[in-house]
């Protein structure tokens, strides 16, 4: 009788796993289809009306002119930047929440975004913001605010990692330290804005508004290369992250160095976030909310969570960019403002639902 019961339980568990895997694979396929549809739709919307025959002439007939410039130099880089930036931010948020075991962990809450904003404001107000890094040809178009934003975001990362290495530093302590850093860098940015002239103030405000449409092809290439390398690393280490969820003692017994794993994961996620923010600006709540949405829909392995979170983040940012371009046409809203308006109520809803999925 006991053996029959065990066999039934094994079959039931196996059936549930198969059903859950089908649900996860269906989610992945659906996200890919939606991303493709949203990207194609994005080519047609904006302040300038473009039709199918215009795109056909640009792609197959080699037509040059205003439509060519709109598609290749404005809309297509914006769409691809939205996709890669959204995927990178969502992936970084999923990794941080995994290794810190804290649902509030994200690049936004750990102070990385605000540190980048302070770095850009510092370069605009104090330094020559029109300077270009000319020592390396492949960095053409990378202006000083982007370089300063990356530098200061890495300073925030070093501080957070230093705190995480201290004795008895819990995941909650790291998140609280990130919130404190956010307040500190926000105060610094406000002080710089107070002493800035009108042109510098406008430049600072423009930079802090996240906007995928500001990137060039060279900048998109840099973001894409960093995203591919770090994503491959996270996927490769996903099994170790799954073991880490079982606890440090279990991870140690299986030969996983939990401290080293957390350190490298935090560093990699922070570099990916810093590169994206340096070129795109501050885009909040993508890295915080997206992993929770995926957990709410389907729970799987860490690898599946990372992949689906990245896809959902890319889709969410493309949709947000579309809404920002069309909500008050011909005025284009900063997409960072829209993600905050959409993300904050959604996250409050997820918090009210409780811990049933994290």
């Amino acid at each position: 009788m006991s053996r029959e019961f065990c066999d039934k339980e094994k079959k039931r568990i196996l059936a549930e796993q198969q059903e859950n895997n089908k649900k996860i694979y269906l989610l992945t396929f659906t996200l890919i289809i939606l991303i493709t549809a949203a990207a194609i739709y994005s080519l047609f919307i904006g302040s300038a009306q473009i039709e199918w025959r215009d795109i056909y002439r640009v792609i197959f007939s080699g037509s040059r002119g205003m439509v060519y410039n709109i598609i290749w130099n404005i809309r297509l880089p914006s769409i691809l930047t939205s996709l890669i930036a959204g995927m990178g931010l969502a992936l970084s948020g999923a990794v941080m929440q995994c290794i810190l075991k804290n649902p509030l962990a994200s690049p936004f809450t750990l102070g990385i975004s605000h540190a980048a904003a302070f770095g850009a404001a510092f370069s605009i107000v104090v330094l020559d913001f029109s300077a270009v890094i000319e020592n390396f040809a492949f960095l053409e178009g990378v202006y000083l605010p982007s370089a300063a934003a990356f530098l200061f975001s890495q300073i925030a990362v070093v501080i957070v990692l230093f705190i995480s290495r201290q004795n008895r530093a819990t995941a909650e302590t790291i998140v609280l330290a990130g919130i404190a850093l956010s307040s500190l860098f926000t105060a610094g940015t406000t002080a710089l804005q107070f002493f800035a002239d009108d042109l510098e103030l406008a430049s600072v405000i423009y930079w802090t508004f996240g906007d995928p449409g500001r990137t060039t092809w060279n900048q998109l290439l840099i973001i894409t290369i960093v995203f591919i390398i770090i994503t491959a690393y996270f996927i490769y280490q996903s099994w170790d992250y799954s073991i880490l969820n079982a606890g440090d003692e279990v991870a140690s017994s299986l030969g996983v160095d939990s401290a080293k794993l957390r350190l490298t994961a935090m560093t990699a996620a922070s570099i990916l976030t810093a590169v994206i923010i340096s070129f795109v600006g501050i885009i909040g709540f993508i890295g915080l909310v997206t992993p929770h949405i995926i957990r709410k829909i389907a729970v799987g392995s860490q690898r599946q969570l990372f992949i689906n979170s990245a896809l959902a983040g890319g889709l969410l940012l493309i949709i947000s960019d579309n809404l920002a371009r069309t909500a008050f046409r011909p005025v284009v809203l900063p997409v960072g403002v829209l993600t905050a308006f959409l993300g904050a109520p959604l996250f409050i809803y997820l918090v009210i639902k409780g811990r049933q999925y994290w």
Side-chain angles (χ1 to χ4, degrees):
M1 188 70 178
S2 176
R3 184 174 180 179
E4 292 180 359
F5 176 78
C6 291
D7 291 340
K8 289 182 180 179
E9 282 296 302
K10 288 180 180 179
K11 291 181 180 179
R12 183 185 65 81
I13 293 173
L14 182 60
E16 289 180 354
Q17 290 177 344
Q18 292 176 345
E19 185 67 25
N20 189 57
N21 286 334
K22 290 180 181 179
K23 188 176 181 180
I24 292 172
Y25 293 141
L26 178 61
L27 175 62
T28 304
F29 179 75
T30 303
L31 288 172
I32 294 174
I33 295 298
L34 291 175
I35 287 173
T36 304
I40 294 174
Y41 177 72
S42 299
L43 289 173
F44 297 94
I45 62 173
S47 56
Q49 296 294 329
I50 293 179
E51 299 180 356
W52 279 103
R53 60 176 177 269
D54 297 325
I55 296 180
Y56 178 85
R57 284 198 295 265
V58 169
I59 296 177
F60 297 101
S61 302
S63 175
R64 300 264 176 166
M66 184 182 69
V67 175
Y68 176 88
N69 290 327
I70 291 174
I71 293 176
W72 286 104
N73 297 327
I74 299 177
R75 293 190 182 176
L76 195 56
S78 177
I79 294 169
L80 295 177
T81 301
S82 297
L83 176 62
I84 301 300
M87 292 178 71
L89 292 174
L91 178 62
S92 298
V95 170
M96 289 180 178
Q97 290 171 13
C98 170
I99 62 177
L100 296 178
K101 298 179 183 179
N102 192 309
L104 294 177
S106 76
F108 192 76
T109 55
L110 291 181
I112 300 173
S113 299
H114 297 89
F118 174 80
F122 181 83
S123 69
I124 291 171
V125 177
V126 179
L127 305 177
D128 180 11
F129 71 93
S130 62
V132 181
I133 300 177
E134 298 176 347
N135 295 328
F136 304 95
F138 67 91
L139 288 179
E140 180 183 356
V142 181
Y143 293 93
L144 189 59
S146 297
F150 179 81
L151 175 62
F152 277 88
S153 62
Q154 290 307 295
I155 292 175
V157 171
V158 170
I159 296 174
V160 171
L161 291 177
F162 174 78
I163 295 174
S164 67
R165 298 286 291 179
Q166 301 305 304
N167 294 330
R168 300 179 181 178
T170 63
E172 290 77 10
T173 303
I174 297 173
V175 173
L176 291 174
I179 294 174
L181 285 176
S182 298
S183 300
L184 178 63
F185 283 115
T186 299
T189 304
T190 304
L192 289 172
Q193 290 175 348
F194 179 80
F195 290 104
D197 58 34
D198 292 342
L199 178 60
E200 292 170 344
L201 181 60
S203 299
V204 170
I205 294 176
Y206 171 76
W207 194 95
T208 54
F209 289 156
D211 182 16
R214 72 176 62 166
T215 57
T216 63
W217 283 107
N218 288 335
Q219 294 170 347
L220 175 60
L221 178 62
I222 295 173
I223 297 174
T224 304
I225 291 174
V226 174
F227 170 76
I228 292 174
I229 294 173
I230 293 181
T231 299
Y233 170 77
F234 285 147
I235 298 300
Y236 177 76
Q237 294 285 354
S238 59
W239 177 249
D240 290 341
Y241 298 142
S242 298
I243 296 174
L244 193 63
N245 282 335
D248 290 355
E249 294 181 358
V250 175
S252 298
S253 65
L254 295 175
V256 176
D257 189 342
S258 57
K260 182 179 179 181
L261 186 64
R262 283 196 178 93
L263 179 63
T264 53
M266 275 289 295
T267 303
S270 300
I271 289 175
L272 176 59
T273 301
V275 171
I276 293 172
I277 294 174
S278 298
F279 293 116
V280 178
I282 297 179
I283 298 178
F285 288 98
I286 295 291
L288 181 62
V289 174
T290 307
H292 294 312
I293 296 175
I294 297 301
R295 291 189 188 97
K296 184 70 174 175
I297 297 174
V299 179
S301 66
Q302 288 300 322
R303 176 178 296 183
Q304 293 166 333
L305 173 64
F306 292 166
I307 293 174
N308 286 333
S309 294
L311 292 173
L315 176 63
L316 184 59
L317 193 52
I318 290 176
I319 294 175
S320 299
D321 186 45
N322 289 342
L323 291 175
R325 281 192 283 160
T326 58
F328 297 95
R329 188 184 299 176
V331 177
V332 179
L333 289 177
V335 70
V337 175
L338 193 60
T339 56
F341 273 118
L342 296 176
L346 180 58
F347 184 71
I348 292 174
Y349 167 77
L350 294 173
V351 170
I352 292 174
K353 298 298 289 185
R355 290 178 171 271
Q356 54 185 311
Y357 57 91
W358 69 50

